[in-house]
Amino acid sequence: MGFEQHCAPDGDSNQRLTCGFLRALIARATKTGSCKMLTAMANANADLMIQTHKYSITELASFIDLTPWHRFGFSAANAAILEAIEGFSIVHIVDLSSTHCMQIPTLIDAIANRPEGPPFIKLTVAGATADIPPMLDHSYEELGSKLVNFARSRNVVLEFRVVPSSSADGFSSLIEQLRVQQIVFADGGEGEALVINCHMMLHNTSEETLNVIINMPNNDMSPNPYSSMPSSSSSSTSSASHRTMFLKALRSLDPTIVVLVDEDADFTSSDLVCRLRSAFNFLWIPYDAVEAFLRQGKQRQWYEADICWKIENVISQEGVQRVERLEPKCRWVQRMRNANFRSVSFSEDAVSEVKGMLDEHAAGWGLKREEEDLVLTWKGHNVVFATLWVPA
């Protein structure tokens, strides 16, 4: 019996969802040999490989505009950032985003219209090496050049910097660079707003507990970027995850504001059945949502290939290869509090911005407030959360 008879990759949303999970199970079986029937199916079907698309900048911008999945976080974050940087003449934005700075042009537009005039903007991005969808068919140097030119067209001076750093080590190189820049800039005696914008990328960092050195000897030429600040010549070992270390390192930089936006689901279980259930109970949403507005065509193929990649990573990969490790909002909130941040509320202007954006999309999308946080919903189900944090 052929693969297509088990589920329809071009059927309704439920069939397409089932197809994605069957592909993932087959991929896992071929690696482990744990199921002879699935392995035989894989051998009989050579077209099971997921063909993800590499987007041009124009394609990616257009693709993101299709749904509020990313635009929700963009709208909420940009409104909050604009308020947080009021009065600063220099703003350093660290953009840890899975969408390759697609949020930045709308932020530049908003900053350009600031009553007191635009600040000088320093934009730092992590040049992640992992091929995690959506993927961009441009180098970060090309992307930076386009952003600098766009900012210039809005009379905004933008400095673009790429730091080779990835989620694999908790962005340790990025933290080290930020700390060096902060020390150098402090000598100038001017104030600078430091904005950390985390958009659906932190969940790619490992959440397993590691034994790490917290303090390094003063004579060590390569201090641990995760140490708070060199304070003694003693060293100690502590247990922490890359996520915990990263957030604590961020806190030591005393940022003006941290924006954390991510998908509200839990893919962290070490048990495959639990992960499969969690993924199925969440990833029906993008399939169902796309059914409402996007029929057959290239954009739908690209959209669903990216979802299939996520499903396969959750189901068929283990260890460092399994990077889709979503955590629910409640757990991120606790992580931020443990790192000595406190949450702040989105303003009514920010809420209005988000509501206005949602009005541009199909019925079914909604917005709800949970204490200080905002949550994007689809037919009442939580999809993406947005939170704001300042040093406690």
Side-chain angles (χ1 to χ4, degrees):
M1 187 176 291
F3 175 77
E4 292 79 6
Q5 292 174 275
H6 287 266
C7 56
D10 56 353
D12 62 26
S13 60
N14 287 329
Q15 290 173 318
R16 299 164 99 97
L17 174 67
T18 304
C19 177
F21 275 85
L22 184 55
R23 284 175 184 267
L25 288 169
I26 290 172
R28 184 180 180 92
T30 58
K31 291 172 186 168
T32 63
S34 57
C35 178
K36 292 181 179 179
M37 183 186 76
L38 289 178
T39 302
M41 286 176 62
N43 293 335
N45 291 273
D47 61 343
L48 296 181
M49 292 295 294
I50 298 171
Q51 301 297 324
T52 53
H53 179 68
K54 283 196 171 185
Y55 298 87
S56 69
I57 292 174
T58 303
E59 286 174 342
L60 184 56
S62 175
F63 181 73
I64 285 171
D65 283 344
L66 290 174
T67 75
W69 202 280
H70 291 288
R71 290 190 70 201
F72 160 76
F74 291 179
S75 298
N78 285 351
I81 291 169
L82 195 62
E83 293 169 8
I85 64 174
E86 185 176 348
F88 285 93
S89 60
I90 302 174
V91 177
H92 188 179
I93 301 170
V94 180
D95 191 44
L96 296 175
S97 170
S98 64
T99 55
H100 311 289
C101 298
M102 291 297 105
Q103 175 181 343
I104 301 302
T106 52
L107 179 57
I108 290 173
D109 270 335
I111 288 175
N113 296 320
R114 203 170 71 160
E116 66 267 38
F120 170 58
I121 300 176
K122 299 195 293 186
L123 177 62
T124 298
V125 300
T129 55
D131 289 331
I132 301 173
M135 292 180 284
L136 191 65
D137 192 23
H138 287 73
S139 69
Y140 269 96
E141 286 72 21
E142 292 174 293
L143 177 63
S145 177
K146 290 181 181 295
L147 285 172
V148 168
N149 290 335
F150 176 81
R152 187 180 297 120
S153 74
R154 300 298 193 271
N155 296 315
V156 175
V157 179
L158 173 69
E159 177 185 278
F160 184 87
R161 181 185 292 109
V162 181
V163 177
S165 190
S166 74
S167 57
D169 62 355
F171 303 102
S172 59
S173 298
L174 176 67
I175 291 293
E176 188 172 7
Q177 284 292 318
L178 291 176
R179 189 161 287 151
V180 169
Q181 292 169 32
Q182 197 174 58
I183 292 171
V184 170
F185 191 84
D187 293 338
E190 295 184 66
E192 173 181 301
L194 176 60
V195 175
I196 311 294
N197 185 59
C198 304
H199 184 90
M200 300 191 190
M201 184 179 278
L202 292 194
H203 72 255
N204 296 140
T205 58
S206 171
E207 89 284 2
E208 284 97 351
T209 299
L210 308 168
N211 287 326
V212 294
I213 299 176
I214 299 301
N215 296 312
M216 299 294 291
N218 284 338
N219 59 358
D220 194 306
M221 298 302 291
S222 303
N224 186 342
Y226 287 125
S227 61
S228 299
M229 279 291 169
S231 58
S232 69
S233 59
S234 62
S235 63
S236 61
T237 301
S238 178
S239 293
S241 70
H242 279 311
R243 296 183 185 191
T244 298
M245 292 189 294
F246 175 77
L247 295 178
K248 288 185 176 181
L250 278 190
R251 176 61 185 86
S252 73
L253 297 173
D254 200 30
T256 307
I257 193 168
V258 177
V259 185
L260 175 57
V261 176
D262 218 321
E263 296 159 330
D264 199 5
D266 188 356
F267 295 172
T268 59
S269 176
S270 59
D271 180 73
L272 173 62
V273 175
C274 288
R275 285 208 310 275
L276 194 152
R277 185 184 297 114
S278 295
F280 196 88
N281 288 338
F282 181 72
L283 292 174
W284 69 271
I285 295 174
Y287 279 98
D288 191 56
V290 78
E291 189 82 9
F293 70 90
L294 194 62
R295 298 304 172 187
Q296 301 299 335
K298 285 185 177 180
Q299 282 190 320
R300 180 159 181 169
Q301 292 174 10
W302 300 342
Y303 180 92
E304 293 185 351
D306 286 357
I307 305 170
C308 283
W309 186 95
K310 185 187 291 277
I311 294 171
E312 183 170 318
N313 189 264
V314 172
I315 302 302
S316 71
Q317 300 288 356
E318 297 293 351
V320 294
Q321 282 75 36
R322 181 161 63 84
V323 297
E324 284 298 322
R325 295 169 178 258
L326 294 173
E327 284 189 303
K329 179 173 77 74
C330 60
R331 208 176 296 162
W332 279 113
V333 166
Q334 192 58 54
R335 284 187 183 279
M336 293 298 288
R337 288 174 178 164
N338 290 345
N340 203 25
F341 286 98
R342 69 174 173 85
S343 61
V344 293
S345 297
F346 287 88
S347 68
E348 290 304 319
D349 286 344
V351 174
S352 295
E353 284 284 332
V354 175
K355 287 180 176 177
M357 179 275 299
L358 290 179
D359 287 341
E360 301 172 14
H361 292 279
W365 296 105
L367 172 69
K368 68 178 181 181
R369 303 186 77 159
E370 293 184 351
E371 298 178 345
E372 290 94 349
D373 311 325
L374 299 182
V375 180
L376 174 70
T377 63
W378 172 253
K379 296 180 178 179
H381 297 271
N382 285 16
V383 180
V384 178
F385 65 85
T387 60
L388 296 179
W389 303 89
V390 295

